[in-house]
Amino acid sequence: MSTPTATTDPASAYADVVRDNASLRAFLYGLPGVDQVGADARAAALGGRSIKTDAKKWAVDTAISMIDLTTLEGADTPGKVRSLCAKALQPDPSDLTAPHTAAVCVYGDMVRYAVEALGDSGVGVAAVATAFPSGRASEAVKLADVKDAVDAGASEIDMVIDRGAYLSGRYLDVYDSIVKVKAACGSAHLKVIFETGELATYDNVRRVSWLAMIAGADFIKTSTGKIQPAATPPVTMIMLEAVRDWYAATGRHVGVKPAGGIRTTKDAMKYLVIVNEVAGEDWLDPALFRFGASSLLNDLLLQRQRMSTGRYSGPDYVTVD
């Protein structure tokens, strides 16, 4: 793989790569291919490693602090969003040492309620935008979607790419869309959702990861949670390899967020091992790794209570989201 010289100005370094669609295609297809069998085997091996008992409490608390607590339902109300924010701030009212989650993720019209509830707590407010989850809308509508959420106070924007454009080879269209959304975000961080379950191959996951990073993504995210398969260990591993290699090439950190289908503490531990082994300790931080898995929080809280008391609480001990 030929990459530009390491620089703190990736946009300048990759200017030739995004000169036109043919140049971008040539770059993306020049990236190393992914051996699917090898990737599956390596992810399984990494995920099979255990975490030492004395590190499990740290790992549980770290996983809690990485969660984007989410509600994305047509029946969402201001009251439901406020309730979710209360849980994000204080996940376990019986144990005030439990860390807060990283962010609360809502639809754009719910952002102002989350901002009011969370204040300056340090819990971010993320909004899905750009015609989530399909990504099928005009550019004007997508950018207006982003602007509405940012104006309401969102600190993070989760955009979805046009998978149809990507799969038909219109790579520059996808790149331009991300660049424009990034500009519309202002100071808000941009997470770019690929919907990897629709991209068919691991090669596509690697290529779209690089495309998004060149376009300015602050985070790359597997899925909307609306399509199966959503996040998987091999796909997350390939994205972690991409952000690791991007950092080596540019000196710029990009985060990774697997979303959808991660429900148990055991699953979360597997992902943390993969993060550490593939990208390194820098990514064991909510600033660079998130879980888009609200149901995961309850299992983490139950495991945390067991480690503190020696007993399992019933599943009715924590609130149902």
Side-chain angles (χ1 to χ4, degrees):
M1 177 178 63
S2 175
T3 59
T5 304
T7 176
T8 56
D9 182 11
S12 174
Y14 287 86
D16 285 345
V17 168
V18 296
R19 184 174 61 247
D20 51 42
N21 197 62
S23 299
L24 182 53
R25 185 183 190 284
F27 174 81
L28 296 176
Y29 278 74
L31 295 169
V34 181
D35 175 351
Q36 181 166 341
V37 174
D40 288 343
R42 185 172 182 231
L46 291 174
R49 294 184 186 174
S50 61
I51 293 181
K52 293 180 180 177
T53 301
D54 58 0
K56 283 186 177 178
K57 185 174 186 305
W58 173 88
V60 166
D61 281 1
T62 298
I64 291 172
S65 73
M66 291 173 164
I67 288 178
D68 284 356
L69 203 56
T70 302
T71 182
L72 296 172
E73 302 297 337
D76 285 344
T77 64
K80 182 178 181 182
V81 169
R82 292 189 186 103
S83 177
L84 200 68
C85 290
K87 185 168 184 177
L89 290 168
Q90 198 171 85
D92 184 353
S94 70
D95 184 353
L96 301 185
T97 66
H100 62 65
T101 69
V104 168
C105 183
V106 295
Y107 279 117
D109 64 327
M110 292 287 116
V111 166
R112 63 190 176 101
Y113 303 108
V115 170
E116 290 169 2
L118 295 170
D120 58 358
S121 63
V123 178
V125 177
V128 294
T130 66
F132 179 96
S134 68
R136 313 297 305 193
S138 69
E139 180 180 291
V141 168
K142 291 180 180 180
L143 294 178
D145 204 12
V146 174
K147 185 175 184 303
D148 282 350
V150 172
D151 288 348
S155 56
E156 304 174 7
I157 296 295
D158 288 27
M159 74 166 286
V160 286
I161 66 165
D162 180 342
R163 283 84 75 190
Y166 181 85
L167 291 171
S168 60
R170 293 160 42 212
Y171 305 116
L172 198 61
D173 288 347
V174 179
Y175 167 84
D176 286 340
S177 175
I178 298 172
V179 168
K180 289 174 181 173
V181 170
K182 173 66 175 173
C185 283
S187 61
H189 277 206
L190 174 62
K191 304 192 195 90
V192 179
I193 307 170
F194 301 148
E195 201 65 287
T196 52
E198 293 184 338
L199 296 184
T201 70
Y202 290 170
D203 285 332
N204 275 336
V205 174
R206 175 166 291 169
R207 290 168 187 151
V208 77
S209 296
W210 275 85
L211 185 156
M213 293 187 293
I214 294 171
D218 297 300
F219 255 82
I220 52 176
K221 177 178 171 181
T222 60
S223 326
T224 64
K226 306 293 187 184
I227 298 291
Q228 295 298 326
T232 66
V235 161
T236 304
M237 183 187 74
I238 291 164
M239 292 165 63
L240 286 164
E241 290 172 345
V243 299
R244 176 200 64 197
D245 294 345
W246 172 257
Y247 177 72
T250 68
R252 178 173 177 266
H253 283 104
V254 171
V256 174
K257 178 180 172 180
I262 305 168
R263 296 184 175 85
T264 68
T265 300
K266 184 177 181 181
D267 289 339
M269 299 300 103
K270 290 179 180 179
Y271 276 89
L272 292 182
V273 170
I274 293 172
V275 171
N276 185 61
E277 294 294 324
V278 174
E281 292 184 4
D282 283 359
W283 273 264
L284 289 173
D285 188 292
L288 290 174
F289 193 78
R290 298 280 183 86
F291 288 109
S294 293
S295 60
L296 169 64
L297 178 57
N298 285 348
D299 194 62
L300 289 166
L301 292 174
L302 291 174
Q303 292 299 327
R304 196 175 190 278
Q305 291 165 359
R306 184 192 65 79
M307 286 188 282
S308 298
T309 66
R311 303 182 300 276
Y312 272 111
S313 300
D316 59 338
Y317 194 83
V318 292
T319 58
V320 177
D321 301 319

